[in-house]
Amino acid sequence: MALSPICSDATQAMEIPLYIDETAGVDRRSEPVTTGVPMHRGSLKDLARLSLRTATGEPVPAQFGLLSDWPDGSSKWVLVDFQADVDANARAGYTLSDDGEDVLPANPVHVTDGNTQIDVSNGIMTLSISREKFSVLSGLTLGGRSIFGEKSAVRLFPTEGDVVTSTAQPPDVIRIEEQGPLRAVIRVEGHFATGNENRLRYICSITVYAGQPLV
């Protein structure tokens, strides 16, 4: 599936067409889409003005973030998140505009930054990420059913030799990289504890989408 943004025109009211081409022969429903959209200098200074609509004018829940700006403070590249419906081998059109109509998804992503863990939910799934011990996901619940609980060890598969079971130290870094109603990203970094003199690190980027049963 490919998305084609077209650069905005600073001389007119903003209406930027976005086209999504489905090339794998699969019907896509509520498919998460993340893309960068370039802006002309001076065309946008407030991300809160942005909104997204379908080709027929229906508002679409979307999330916007600043990737880079021009020297005058206006947006140069904007990160856009939404969920698209595209038929197999077809094209779907959307329009990014500056009319400022805000629409929330039915099951938005919520992030709670606590002292001991970060909790993330999206209406159908909840998960926790511990700050105090190694457990990439301290717990995962889908549709009210527990998928797994806390884990304290991982298995390492070297290219040669036996499989090694190793514990790991609590995260050195755990931070919310992105947070919004459509998508949240949590980054976790730390060290494995067994026999590597702190040379073997783990780095995890955990992404959760609104209303999606995946992480």
Side-chain angles (χ1 to χ4, degrees):
M1 192 170 73
L3 188 147
S4 304
I6 298 177
C7 189
S8 68
D9 188 342
T11 64
Q12 302 176 358
M14 183 185 296
E15 287 193 354
I16 306 172
L18 305 177
Y19 297 107
I20 300 177
D21 294 308
E22 206 298 309
T23 58
V26 178
D27 287 336
R28 311 281 183 165
R29 296 294 176 261
S30 299
E31 183 80 10
V33 175
T34 300
T35 187
V37 178
M39 300 283 171
H40 280 291
R41 185 194 299 261
S43 64
L44 178 70
K45 291 192 175 182
D46 184 4
L47 293 182
R49 293 173 53 196
L50 290 177
S51 64
L52 191 70
R53 295 182 182 275
T54 65
T56 58
E58 295 297 320
V60 177
Q63 175 178 320
F64 308 104
L66 180 66
L67 291 175
S68 64
D69 53 15
W70 292 101
D72 66 357
S74 62
S75 300
K76 186 175 185 179
W77 278 89
V78 172
L79 186 68
V80 181
D81 279 279
F82 64 103
Q83 295 183 6
D85 293 335
V86 192
D87 293 335
N89 299 311
R91 166 175 281 194
Y94 293 82
T95 300
L96 181 65
S97 65
D98 59 354
D99 63 14
E101 183 173 354
D102 187 23
V103 182
L104 288 175
N107 293 295
V109 178
H110 294 284
V111 179
T112 303
D113 191 356
N115 292 329
T116 61
Q117 63 186 33
I118 292 178
D119 297 309
V120 187
S121 65
N122 68 354
I124 62 173
M125 179 177 65
T126 62
L127 60 92
S128 299
I129 306 159
S130 176
R131 294 183 180 279
E132 298 182 328
K133 54 189 172 184
F134 173 76
S135 184
V136 175
L137 297 179
S138 300
L140 175 62
T141 301
L142 178 62
R145 182 171 61 92
S146 178
I147 303 302
F148 61 79
E150 296 184 359
K151 304 291 183 182
S152 59
V154 293
R155 300 180 71 194
L156 307 178
F157 295 83
T159 54
E160 297 181 0
D162 297 330
V163 175
V164 177
T165 299
S166 175
T167 57
Q169 298 173 353
D172 301 323
V173 175
I174 175 170
R175 66 176 180 268
I176 302 169
E177 289 195 326
E178 296 184 42
Q179 181 178 355
L182 269 295
R183 183 169 65 98
V185 180
I186 315 298
R187 186 176 179 87
V188 184
E189 299 181 24
H191 291 85
F192 288 103
T194 302
N196 66 89
E197 298 179 357
N198 274 345
R199 291 193 297 266
L200 185 60
R201 294 179 54 81
Y202 61 86
I203 302 175
C204 303
S205 183
I206 302 168
T207 303
V208 178
Y209 299 94
Q212 297 290 328
L214 54 87
V215 58

